[in-house]
């Protein structure tokens, strides 16, 4: 028999670690990747998909005050700003062309020989 003062006490064995959940890790990585793709698509849509418009009435007013000609530009619709793009402006027997010079809306009016730039 052993003496009660000298009984050895051993700690209980450590519990087994929980099984690895590979599925949770995969779902987390896929979720983060999806968030990055969505954020990129939204940013791309805002930066590239956004369109700047040039007011047809502002251009018509400029032509009227500069050349003393009443015209309607782009059939009365605002013009999408794209470098190098041209839009027709027509009035009583007069046809002029508005050509966009940059992505900021600077344009040039061609009246068939007389040109004028307007920012």
């Amino acid at each position: 028999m052993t003496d009660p003062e000298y009984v050895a006490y051993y700690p209980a064995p450590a519990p087994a670690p929980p099984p690895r959940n590979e599925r949770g890790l995969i779902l987390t990585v896929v979720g983060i990747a999806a968030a990055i793709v969505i954020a990129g698509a939204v940013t791309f849509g805002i930066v590239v998909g956004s369109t700047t418009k040039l007011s047809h009435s502002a251009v018509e007013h400029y032509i009227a005050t500069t050349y003393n000609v009443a015209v309607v530009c782009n059939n009365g619709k605002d013009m999408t700003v794209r470098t190098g793009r041209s839009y027709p402006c027509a009035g009583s027997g007069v046809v002029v062309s508005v050509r966009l010079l940059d992505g900021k809306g600077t344009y040039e009016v061609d009246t068939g020989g007389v040109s004028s730039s307007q920012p």
Side-chain angles (χ1 to χ4, degrees), residues 24-102:
L25 176 63
I26 292 171
L27 289 176
T28 301
V29 170
V30 168
I32 291 171
I36 291 170
V37 168
I38 290 170
V42 168
T43 302
F44 181 77
I46 290 171
V47 172
V48 175
S50 65
T51 56
T52 303
K53 298 284 188 177
L54 179 61
S55 168
H56 71 91
S57 58
V59 176
E60 293 163 0
H61 177 75
Y62 172 76
I63 293 170
T65 57
T66 304
Y67 300 104
N68 200 25
V69 176
V71 293
V72 175
C73 295
N74 197 34
N75 295 319
K77 297 177 189 166
D78 288 344
M79 298 166 250
T80 301
V81 174
R82 288 200 185 112
T83 304
R85 194 164 191 182
S86 294
Y87 292 96
C89 297
S92 48
V94 178
V95 177
V96 298
S97 178
V98 173
R99 186 172 67 90
L100 297 168
L101 302 176
D102 59 25

